[in-house]
Amino acid sequence: MDAKLLEILVCPLCKGPLDYLKANQELVCKPDRLAFPIRDGIPAMLEEEARALSAEEVDALR
């Protein structure tokens, strides 16, 4: 994932910053507890494409 692209992308719901999880190929919004998948290098930034994160998963990212 390109570092400059990561600086520009924000959560489509809250407009907050996203964390990149390389191992999972996901962009994570901690406040909304959502993980947006990255497929073939392209982030799927739609709410219906996102995976809900448990509180434990979010805590593990901190």
Side-chain angles (χ1 to χ4, degrees):
M1 176 64 45
D2 181 51
K4 292 208 183 244
L5 181 60
L6 283 175
E7 290 176 15
I8 296 169
L9 288 176
V10 295
C11 173
L13 302 176
C14 71
K15 309 301 185 233
L18 298 167
D19 293 316
Y20 175 50
L21 297 182
K22 186 176 182 177
N24 296 359
Q25 287 295 293
E26 293 176 322
L27 294 173
V28 173
C29 176
K30 292 177 189 174
D32 289 329
R33 293 180 22 189
L34 292 173
F36 299 92
I38 300 172
R39 296 187 189 108
D40 299 321
I42 301 170
M45 302 300 293
L46 300 171
E47 183 178 4
E48 51 272 2
E49 296 283 329
R51 175 176 69 89
L53 298 172
S54 68
E56 292 81 20
E57 286 178 292
V58 173
D59 288 342
L61 298 173
R62 294 181 184 185

